[in-house]
Amino acid sequence: MENGLPELSANEAITLRRIAYGVTNLDSLRPDDIDRLKTLLLVEERRSGIVMTQLGRSRIAQLPALRLIVTPQAFDEHVVAFSRVIRRTRLH
């Protein structure tokens, strides 16, 4: 435990982040991760889907920040390519 909060595997941390970002459909989350996160009282299941508990919000705040995987240059290239697609779509 770090800072009194439970340790999470890499997959559990990803699942917790996904829930924090609004992915609450059980079909799109790993069942083993959900079971463990429930056991740790980080999430709970409701009719609307999985929601974070106060402890879960505390734990997610302790996770390391995500790093930008794509370089700024690669990101710019994606934006340019996407702009071309949009322009072509508008022309047709």
Side-chain angles (χ1 to χ4, degrees):
M1 287 189 155
E2 61 185 53
N3 299 328
L5 297 171
E7 290 291 329
L8 299 175
S9 71
N11 286 331
E12 292 165 349
I14 289 168
T15 299
L16 188 61
R17 281 188 203 276
R18 293 183 79 201
I19 294 166
Y21 295 143
V23 177
T24 60
N25 183 339
L26 288 174
D27 294 337
S28 61
L29 300 168
R30 293 174 48 127
D32 291 343
D33 294 348
I34 294 297
D35 289 343
R36 173 116 156 82
L37 295 173
K38 281 188 203 175
T39 299
L40 296 171
L41 304 175
L42 300 177
V43 300
E44 59 187 31
E45 192 170 351
R46 295 195 181 155
R47 288 167 124 180
S48 58
I50 297 292
V51 297
M52 294 183 62
T53 63
Q54 182 62 40
L55 184 60
R57 286 188 284 281
S58 296
R59 185 62 185 97
I60 198 114
Q62 298 297 318
L63 291 176
L66 294 177
R67 293 186 206 137
L68 183 64
I69 296 172
V70 192
T71 64
Q73 179 184 2
F75 180 78
D76 290 344
E77 291 169 3
H78 289 297
V79 170
V80 169
F82 186 66
S83 297
R84 287 184 189 132
V85 169
I86 290 174
R87 255 184 268 129
R88 274 185 272 160
T89 304
R90 287 184 185 165
L91 295 175
H92 295 320

